[in-house]
Amino acid sequence: LRAEIEHAVDEEMALTLEDVLERRTRALLFDAGQGLGGVEEVADIMARRLDWDATRKATEVDRYRRLAASLRSFA
């Protein structure tokens, strides 16, 4: 998975956590845990590659978690 993340960022110009976990790896839709088990590690990889500061990284993680939660709600 690490290589997939690096490839998505380096070669496919993925710029957000959502882009990687929803569109590139499809973890949001096809992983039973929606990719949440590895969200911090993926964010760490992306932060190093894209030079995100702590605030940007936290924002990306929060945004992804909210997206995942919204897909679990049926109201």
Side-chain angles (χ1 to χ4, degrees), residues 52-70:
W52 290 348
D53 61 15
T55 301
R56 171 68 188 267
K57 181 183 156 195
T59 299
E60 290 288 331
V61 169
D62 182 59
R63 201 175 282 158
Y64 183 77
R65 285 185 173 142
R66 283 187 283 129
L67 172 64
S70 76

Side-chain angles (χ1 to χ4, degrees):
L1 184 61
R2 182 169 292 154
E4 286 184 70
I5 306 308
E6 292 171 351
H7 178 79
V9 171
D10 296 344
E11 303 299 325
E12 298 176 1
M13 295 183 281
L15 298 176
T16 67
L17 197 53
E18 179 183 340
D19 188 10
V20 168
L21 292 174
E22 180 182 6
R23 296 178 193 91
R24 311 303 169 134
T25 67
R26 308 298 284 171
L28 179 66
L29 299 175
F30 297 117
D31 176 58
Q34 296 178 299
L36 293 168
V39 71
E40 290 288 343
E41 184 176 356
V42 174
D44 286 340
I45 294 167
M46 293 186 72
R48 284 193 300 273
R49 295 250 181 315
L50 297 170
D51 198 29
W52 290 348
D53 61 15
T55 301
R56 171 68 188 267
K57 181 183 156 195
T59 299
E60 290 288 331
V61 169
D62 182 59
R63 201 175 282 158
Y64 183 77
R65 285 185 173 142
R66 283 187 283 129
L67 172 64
S70 76
L71 296 177
R72 290 190 304 271
S73 121
F74 297 104

